Short mmCIF file of all heavy atoms in Angstrom, two decimals:
data_model
loop_
_atom_site.label_atom_id
_atom_site.label_comp_id
_atom_site.label_asym_id
_atom_site.label_seq_id
_atom_site.Cartn_x
_atom_site.Cartn_y
_atom_site.Cartn_z
N ILE A 1596 -6.29 -16.14 -13.41
CA ILE A 1596 -7.74 -15.97 -13.58
C ILE A 1596 -8.38 -17.28 -14.01
O ILE A 1596 -9.42 -17.70 -13.47
CB ILE A 1596 -8.02 -14.86 -14.61
CG1 ILE A 1596 -7.57 -13.50 -14.06
CG2 ILE A 1596 -9.50 -14.82 -14.96
CD1 ILE A 1596 -7.70 -12.38 -15.06
N GLU A 1597 -7.76 -17.96 -14.97
CA GLU A 1597 -8.30 -19.23 -15.46
C GLU A 1597 -8.33 -20.29 -14.38
O GLU A 1597 -9.28 -21.07 -14.27
CB GLU A 1597 -7.48 -19.73 -16.65
CG GLU A 1597 -8.05 -20.97 -17.32
CD GLU A 1597 -7.25 -21.38 -18.54
OE1 GLU A 1597 -6.29 -20.65 -18.88
OE2 GLU A 1597 -7.59 -22.41 -19.14
N ALA A 1598 -7.30 -20.30 -13.53
CA ALA A 1598 -7.24 -21.30 -12.45
C ALA A 1598 -8.36 -21.10 -11.44
O ALA A 1598 -8.79 -22.06 -10.79
CB ALA A 1598 -5.89 -21.24 -11.77
N ASN A 1599 -8.83 -19.86 -11.29
CA ASN A 1599 -9.87 -19.57 -10.31
C ASN A 1599 -11.28 -19.60 -10.89
O ASN A 1599 -12.25 -19.50 -10.14
CB ASN A 1599 -9.62 -18.20 -9.68
CG ASN A 1599 -8.53 -18.24 -8.63
OD1 ASN A 1599 -8.77 -18.52 -7.46
ND2 ASN A 1599 -7.32 -17.97 -9.06
N LEU A 1600 -11.41 -19.75 -12.21
CA LEU A 1600 -12.74 -19.74 -12.81
C LEU A 1600 -13.66 -20.86 -12.31
O LEU A 1600 -14.84 -20.61 -12.03
CB LEU A 1600 -12.63 -19.78 -14.33
CG LEU A 1600 -12.39 -18.42 -15.02
CD1 LEU A 1600 -12.25 -18.60 -16.52
CD2 LEU A 1600 -13.51 -17.45 -14.71
N PRO A 1601 -13.18 -22.11 -12.19
CA PRO A 1601 -14.09 -23.16 -11.70
C PRO A 1601 -14.67 -22.83 -10.33
O PRO A 1601 -15.88 -23.03 -10.10
CB PRO A 1601 -13.19 -24.40 -11.65
CG PRO A 1601 -12.13 -24.14 -12.66
CD PRO A 1601 -11.87 -22.67 -12.59
N GLN A 1602 -13.86 -22.34 -9.43
CA GLN A 1602 -14.35 -22.00 -8.11
C GLN A 1602 -15.35 -20.85 -8.17
O GLN A 1602 -16.37 -20.87 -7.48
CB GLN A 1602 -13.18 -21.63 -7.21
CG GLN A 1602 -13.57 -21.31 -5.77
CD GLN A 1602 -12.37 -20.98 -4.90
OE1 GLN A 1602 -11.24 -21.01 -5.38
NE2 GLN A 1602 -12.61 -20.68 -3.65
N GLN A 1603 -15.06 -19.86 -9.03
CA GLN A 1603 -15.97 -18.73 -9.16
C GLN A 1603 -17.29 -19.17 -9.78
O GLN A 1603 -18.37 -18.72 -9.37
CB GLN A 1603 -15.31 -17.64 -9.99
CG GLN A 1603 -14.12 -16.97 -9.31
CD GLN A 1603 -13.35 -16.06 -10.24
OE1 GLN A 1603 -13.72 -15.90 -11.41
NE2 GLN A 1603 -12.29 -15.46 -9.75
N ARG A 1604 -17.23 -20.07 -10.76
CA ARG A 1604 -18.46 -20.58 -11.37
C ARG A 1604 -19.32 -21.33 -10.36
O ARG A 1604 -20.54 -21.15 -10.31
CB ARG A 1604 -18.10 -21.50 -12.54
CG ARG A 1604 -17.55 -20.77 -13.76
CD ARG A 1604 -17.03 -21.75 -14.77
NE ARG A 1604 -16.55 -21.08 -15.97
CZ ARG A 1604 -15.84 -21.67 -16.92
NH1 ARG A 1604 -15.52 -22.96 -16.81
NH2 ARG A 1604 -15.45 -20.99 -17.99
N GLU A 1605 -18.68 -22.14 -9.54
CA GLU A 1605 -19.42 -22.89 -8.53
C GLU A 1605 -20.06 -21.93 -7.52
O GLU A 1605 -21.20 -22.13 -7.10
CB GLU A 1605 -18.48 -23.86 -7.82
CG GLU A 1605 -19.18 -24.75 -6.79
CD GLU A 1605 -18.22 -25.73 -6.16
OE1 GLU A 1605 -17.05 -25.79 -6.59
OE2 GLU A 1605 -18.65 -26.43 -5.23
N TRP A 1606 -19.31 -20.89 -7.16
CA TRP A 1606 -19.82 -19.92 -6.21
C TRP A 1606 -21.03 -19.19 -6.79
O TRP A 1606 -22.05 -19.01 -6.11
CB TRP A 1606 -18.71 -18.93 -5.86
CG TRP A 1606 -19.12 -17.85 -4.91
CD1 TRP A 1606 -19.75 -18.00 -3.72
CD2 TRP A 1606 -18.93 -16.44 -5.10
NE1 TRP A 1606 -19.96 -16.77 -3.13
CE2 TRP A 1606 -19.48 -15.80 -3.94
CE3 TRP A 1606 -18.36 -15.66 -6.09
CZ2 TRP A 1606 -19.46 -14.42 -3.80
CZ3 TRP A 1606 -18.34 -14.28 -5.94
CH2 TRP A 1606 -18.88 -13.68 -4.80
N VAL A 1607 -20.95 -18.77 -8.04
CA VAL A 1607 -22.06 -18.08 -8.68
C VAL A 1607 -23.27 -19.00 -8.80
O VAL A 1607 -24.42 -18.59 -8.58
CB VAL A 1607 -21.64 -17.55 -10.07
CG1 VAL A 1607 -22.84 -16.99 -10.82
CG2 VAL A 1607 -20.57 -16.47 -9.92
N ALA A 1608 -23.04 -20.27 -9.13
CA ALA A 1608 -24.15 -21.23 -9.25
C ALA A 1608 -24.84 -21.41 -7.91
O ALA A 1608 -26.07 -21.48 -7.83
CB ALA A 1608 -23.62 -22.56 -9.77
N ASP A 1609 -24.07 -21.50 -6.84
CA ASP A 1609 -24.66 -21.64 -5.51
C ASP A 1609 -25.48 -20.41 -5.15
O ASP A 1609 -26.56 -20.51 -4.55
CB ASP A 1609 -23.57 -21.87 -4.46
CG ASP A 1609 -22.93 -23.24 -4.58
OD1 ASP A 1609 -23.56 -24.13 -5.20
OD2 ASP A 1609 -21.81 -23.43 -4.07
N MET A 1610 -24.96 -19.23 -5.51
CA MET A 1610 -25.70 -18.01 -5.23
C MET A 1610 -27.02 -17.97 -5.99
O MET A 1610 -28.06 -17.57 -5.46
CB MET A 1610 -24.84 -16.79 -5.61
CG MET A 1610 -23.65 -16.55 -4.69
SD MET A 1610 -22.62 -15.19 -5.29
CE MET A 1610 -23.80 -13.83 -5.28
N GLU A 1611 -26.97 -18.41 -7.24
CA GLU A 1611 -28.19 -18.41 -8.05
C GLU A 1611 -29.21 -19.39 -7.49
O GLU A 1611 -30.41 -19.11 -7.42
CB GLU A 1611 -27.87 -18.76 -9.50
CG GLU A 1611 -29.07 -18.66 -10.43
CD GLU A 1611 -28.75 -19.14 -11.83
OE1 GLU A 1611 -28.15 -20.24 -11.94
OE2 GLU A 1611 -29.09 -18.44 -12.78
N ALA A 1612 -28.72 -20.56 -7.06
CA ALA A 1612 -29.63 -21.55 -6.49
C ALA A 1612 -30.24 -21.05 -5.19
O ALA A 1612 -31.43 -21.24 -4.93
CB ALA A 1612 -28.87 -22.86 -6.25
N ASP A 1613 -29.42 -20.38 -4.36
CA ASP A 1613 -29.95 -19.83 -3.11
C ASP A 1613 -30.99 -18.75 -3.39
O ASP A 1613 -31.99 -18.63 -2.68
CB ASP A 1613 -28.81 -19.24 -2.27
CG ASP A 1613 -27.90 -20.32 -1.71
OD1 ASP A 1613 -28.35 -21.48 -1.66
OD2 ASP A 1613 -26.75 -19.99 -1.34
N ALA A 1614 -30.75 -17.95 -4.44
CA ALA A 1614 -31.70 -16.89 -4.78
C ALA A 1614 -33.04 -17.46 -5.23
O ALA A 1614 -34.08 -16.86 -5.00
CB ALA A 1614 -31.12 -15.99 -5.86
N ARG A 1615 -32.99 -18.63 -5.87
CA ARG A 1615 -34.22 -19.28 -6.31
C ARG A 1615 -34.86 -20.10 -5.20
O ARG A 1615 -35.93 -20.66 -5.38
CB ARG A 1615 -33.94 -20.19 -7.51
CG ARG A 1615 -33.51 -19.45 -8.77
CD ARG A 1615 -33.74 -20.33 -10.00
NE ARG A 1615 -33.20 -21.66 -9.80
CZ ARG A 1615 -32.02 -22.08 -10.25
NH1 ARG A 1615 -31.25 -21.24 -10.93
NH2 ARG A 1615 -31.60 -23.32 -10.05
N GLY A 1616 -34.14 -20.22 -4.07
CA GLY A 1616 -34.66 -21.02 -2.98
C GLY A 1616 -34.50 -22.50 -3.20
O GLY A 1616 -35.25 -23.31 -2.63
#
Side-chain angles (χ1 to χ4, degrees):
I1596 293 175
E1597 186 176 357
N1599 282 273
L1600 277 178
Q1602 183 178 359
Q1603 292 171 1
R1604 288 171 178 168
E1605 183 178 354
W1606 179 50
V1607 172
D1609 290 340
M1610 289 175 60
E1611 185 185 48
D1613 290 341
R1615 294 200 311 261

